[in-house]
Amino acid sequence: MPDPRSWIATILACLVLALGAAATADGGRAPRAIVVGALAIGCGCGAIWWRAERATAPVLARPAIATVAGTVERIEPLPARALVRVTILPDAGAGLPPRVRVNLAAADVTAGLGEGAVVRLRARLMPPPPAAVPGAYDFARVAWFASIGATGRGFAPVTVVRPGMPEGGIRARLTAHITARLEGSRGGIASALATGDEGAIAIDDSDAMRRAGLAHLLSVSGLHVTAAVAATMFVVIRILALWPWLAIRVTLPLVAAAAGALAAIGYTLLTGGQVPTIRSCVASLLVLAALAAGREAVTLRLVAAGAMVVMLLWPEAVAGASFQLSFAAIAAIVALHEHPRVAAWFGPREGPRWHAVLRGLGSLLLTGLVVEAALMPIAVYHFHKAGVYGAAANIVAIPLTTFVIMPLEAIALALDPVGLGALPWWLTDLAIRALLALAHAVARAPGSSVALPSMPTGAFAAMVIGGLWCALWRTRWRRLGIGPLAFGAAWAIATPAPDLLVTGDGRHLVVRTAGGAALLRDRAGDYTRAMLAETGGVDGEPLLLADQADARCSADACIVDVRAGGRAWRVLATRSLYPVAWDAIVGACRVADVVVSERRLPVACRPRWLKLDGPMLRRTGGVAVVFATGAVTTVRHAGDAHPWLSPPTIRPDGDGPTSRSRNRWGRADWRRATIRSDNGRAR
């Protein structure tokens, strides 16, 4: 729904549907379901619209080198990248957005730089970037709801006008203590389990965890909150049971449940209150309340209550991978174990001890398979790849994390104040080494991950609807959900990988050659390489276009011939801003099907099919092209009025914006560019 007219129409349609169902209700369940569903959809649309308007804040108009003076709101150390991420609230009248986020080299951080400090530094700032290509991460949308109006890189020296908190909050101090005890990624994993801070985990280790299907262990969620609550209840009830007078007169399980609730709330606050942690905290509190009241604790109503809390407070979270992965996993687990056959298979019964152990392992394996199946569409939609062996790896990783690493780390932290934590830390280090060894072994296995290009939103929606249908029904009606699931999966698998991906600034592109996907510029950054490879469905690094046999490259441009749809397509792309002779560029355009450039091309440059120069890309954003079908997908769409696409802007003071490169041809009266198909009609 692109604009306010669509949003208003949706809300009114939901209201009309709810009123109509209420007026014709005959006491059955169907009218009530329609009323509740229509009101929920209408209220949800209104909630996210209200939240988007409430987050309105000006965004930097264009890239600039500026002086940033203000108060530090948040500091996030990223030791694995030798960076510190600082969120600053600039002073009023500075000509900057109300919230700016900059990365500083760790060596440039000075004493006194903490939360609440007043600082002054120089930084190269830019507006929050939108998705570079269709299907890529949209940081502009995320930054809009966080009211971040500019991001960039800060330079030394950093002047601290007034020092802040010397050691940060309790979370920062605990993270620093843990990373001082364990080196490298091992300290990063330990701090992630305790505080949710993943900044010290090396990129290769993080990638291995993701490819092995173990990345969920690094995000504080139900596993960690449950372990914290269970450990607290166990310790409290054991200690209180040592006092007979209290044990006789007080219901100790209720006292332990209250202590567990406090532990869940405290752990959630300690780890930064991320969406999965909040969901797990709410779920834990509801489970404890149900146990105290003698009711069935773990049901889909519990999942719904946790989701409702998150959606009421942060409705934008619904569009994010964290919300979707978290709730899909817990909904799949609950729906699976509510099934009568599964409950009969794995429920407690009389028999030898080893039978119970086998049932537990079988339950864990089946749960892992179902969770992997539930999470794979979401992972592929957002990250364009998913682990294949995650279910098997989790059989070892989950018990290792829950019953070995976390208890050892808790013991080590408890013994550190009295100087006895060395041995538990050493054992924790060994256990985390084993976890990393497992992750790398699984990640290196052949076929460890599936890479697919950007999935159509319709295919993703079909799989989500099918999965929800299977989870919600308890009768044979649930089998009807297999249809949308299969249809969406087939649609996603059949979606062809793009033959050409062009970023919104026109500087970078990936084209699918005979040797594989190849990158235009040799010096593209790691993030750009990874982003283009993932959205193009490539598992690994893209090749270099200059090294391909079917490409001819100079310092200024590349020409490559691509075979697709039974014919050859010629792509011409510039890769420098040096002057090019007018007749040379016009002549090259005539024999090319597609021309790509970050600068403005002359009107006389008329390729046979598609012209993607600077002015055009500023309107369309990143572009994905499939030559065989002639499909052209763009990041921006005509009439899209979402606020982060056209935000209010503010011009920086100080030295002002960096200069833009001028047009090298010196012509001012360019015609409005259009994207044309083979028959000449505008697409």
Side-chain angles (χ1 to χ4, degrees), residues 96-107:
L96 292 174
R99 183 175 281 109
V100 172
R101 197 176 78 179
V102 297
N103 289 336
L104 290 172

Side-chain angles (χ1 to χ4, degrees), residues 28-400:
R29 296 175 62 186
R32 292 202 306 270
I34 293 175
V35 170
V36 173
L39 290 178
I41 294 173
C43 291
C45 186
I48 186 61
W49 189 359
W50 172 81
R51 177 74 176 88
E53 293 296 331
R54 188 167 175 261
T56 299
V59 173
L60 196 68
R62 51 187 176 181
I65 295 178
T67 299
V68 181
T71 304
V72 174
E73 180 186 41
R74 186 178 182 186
I75 289 187
E76 302 170 76
L78 304 173
R81 298 165 54 188
L83 294 174
V84 174
R85 181 173 293 159
V86 184
T87 303
I88 302 175
L89 305 177
D91 296 335
L96 292 174
R99 183 175 281 109
V100 172
R101 197 176 78 179
V102 297
N103 289 336
L104 290 172
D108 296 337
V109 175
T110 58
L113 183 62
E115 294 182 6
V118 177
V119 298
R120 185 180 181 87
L121 70 152
R122 300 274 291 169
R124 187 184 190 280
L125 302 175
M126 61 181 296
V133 294
Y137 179 66
D138 189 354
F139 180 68
R141 185 185 68 194
V142 175
W144 175 265
F145 288 102
S147 299
I148 296 175
T151 62
R153 184 67 180 260
F155 311 123
V158 178
T159 304
V160 178
V161 180
R162 187 185 67 204
M165 298 174 60
E167 298 180 355
I170 184 174
R171 184 187 184 202
R173 293 197 299 271
L174 185 57
T175 298
H177 176 79
I178 294 172
T179 53
R181 289 289 187 172
L182 300 178
E183 297 180 353
S185 293
R186 302 187 301 281
I189 292 175
S191 62
L193 295 176
T195 67
D197 190 340
E198 304 177 24
I201 303 176
I203 295 176
D204 57 339
D205 291 326
S206 178
D207 186 61
M209 295 285 287
R210 184 169 57 252
R211 292 173 66 91
L214 305 179
H216 66 94
L217 297 176
L218 305 179
S219 175
V220 177
S221 57
L223 174 68
H224 311 83
V225 175
T226 301
V229 172
T232 302
M233 293 181 65
F234 177 81
V235 171
V236 168
I237 202 168
R238 292 293 179 179
I239 292 177
L240 295 181
L242 297 176
W243 188 4
W245 182 89
L246 185 67
I248 293 173
R249 292 168 173 79
V250 177
T251 306
L252 295 186
L254 292 180
V255 179
L262 293 176
I265 296 172
Y267 191 38
T268 301
L269 296 175
L270 176 65
T271 54
Q274 302 299 318
V275 169
T277 319
I278 294 172
R279 186 269 305 162
S280 303
C281 179
V282 172
S284 298
L285 296 178
L286 291 174
V287 167
L288 294 172
L291 291 175
R295 301 291 297 276
E296 184 180 358
V298 182
T299 66
L300 284 176
R301 290 184 177 86
L302 174 75
V303 182
M308 185 64 70
V309 171
V310 175
M311 288 189 290
L312 287 175
L313 298 177
W314 303 280
E316 71 275 11
V318 177
S322 177
F323 179 94
Q324 295 171 13
L325 291 170
S326 177
F327 281 97
I330 189 63
I333 292 171
V334 174
L336 172 68
H337 289 277
E338 279 188 344
H339 195 284
R341 289 187 180 179
V342 175
W345 289 342
F346 301 117
R349 67 189 71 171
E350 296 292 334
R353 179 67 177 174
W354 63 273
H355 284 183
V357 173
L358 289 179
R359 285 197 303 273
L361 291 176
S363 175
L364 188 61
L365 177 60
L366 179 61
T367 302
L369 291 172
V370 171
V371 170
E372 286 296 316
L375 299 187
M376 187 171 290
I378 303 173
V380 173
Y381 180 75
H382 288 282
F383 311 119
H384 315 293
K385 63 174 61 176
V388 176
Y389 307 136
N394 276 290
I395 292 178
V396 178
I398 290 178
L400 177 63

Side-chain angles (χ1 to χ4, degrees), residues 255-561:
V255 179
L262 293 176
I265 296 172
Y267 191 38
T268 301
L269 296 175
L270 176 65
T271 54
Q274 302 299 318
V275 169
T277 319
I278 294 172
R279 186 269 305 162
S280 303
C281 179
V282 172
S284 298
L285 296 178
L286 291 174
V287 167
L288 294 172
L291 291 175
R295 301 291 297 276
E296 184 180 358
V298 182
T299 66
L300 284 176
R301 290 184 177 86
L302 174 75
V303 182
M308 185 64 70
V309 171
V310 175
M311 288 189 290
L312 287 175
L313 298 177
W314 303 280
E316 71 275 11
V318 177
S322 177
F323 179 94
Q324 295 171 13
L325 291 170
S326 177
F327 281 97
I330 189 63
I333 292 171
V334 174
L336 172 68
H337 289 277
E338 279 188 344
H339 195 284
R341 289 187 180 179
V342 175
W345 289 342
F346 301 117
R349 67 189 71 171
E350 296 292 334
R353 179 67 177 174
W354 63 273
H355 284 183
V357 173
L358 289 179
R359 285 197 303 273
L361 291 176
S363 175
L364 188 61
L365 177 60
L366 179 61
T367 302
L369 291 172
V370 171
V371 170
E372 286 296 316
L375 299 187
M376 187 171 290
I378 303 173
V380 173
Y381 180 75
H382 288 282
F383 311 119
H384 315 293
K385 63 174 61 176
V388 176
Y389 307 136
N394 276 290
I395 292 178
V396 178
I398 290 178
L400 177 63
T401 303
T402 308
F403 303 116
V404 180
I405 296 176
M406 293 184 68
L408 283 173
E409 184 177 354
I411 293 171
L413 290 172
L415 294 179
D416 269 346
V418 295
L420 299 177
L423 179 60
W425 279 123
W426 181 74
L427 295 174
T428 304
D429 185 76
L430 289 181
I432 295 178
R433 286 178 185 269
L435 179 65
L436 285 173
L438 172 67
H440 282 281
V442 173
R444 288 193 299 266
S448 61
S449 66
V450 174
L452 291 174
S454 297
M455 182 191 303
T457 303
F460 180 59
M463 286 187 281
V464 169
I465 291 171
L468 288 174
W469 184 276
C470 292
L472 293 176
W473 285 91
R474 294 192 177 189
T475 64
R476 293 182 179 180
W477 284 87
R478 75 189 330 164
R479 299 176 184 176
L480 295 177
I482 298 175
L485 271 172
F487 173 74
W491 186 0
I493 294 172
T495 300
D499 298 299
L500 178 66
L501 275 173
V502 182
T503 59
D505 58 7
R507 288 179 53 81
H508 303 284
L509 66 81
V510 160
V511 60
R512 197 168 294 274
T513 65
L519 192 66
L520 173 66
R521 294 178 185 261
D522 302 352
R523 295 185 178 182
D526 293 338
Y527 172 78
T528 300
R529 290 172 178 270
M531 178 269 300
L532 290 174
E534 290 174 359
T535 51
V538 178
D539 188 11
E541 284 281 322
L543 307 172
L544 297 180
L545 189 57
D547 297 337
Q548 304 309 302
D550 44 1
R552 300 179 299 281
C553 293
S554 67
D556 299 313
C558 280
I559 296 177
V560 58
D561 293 321

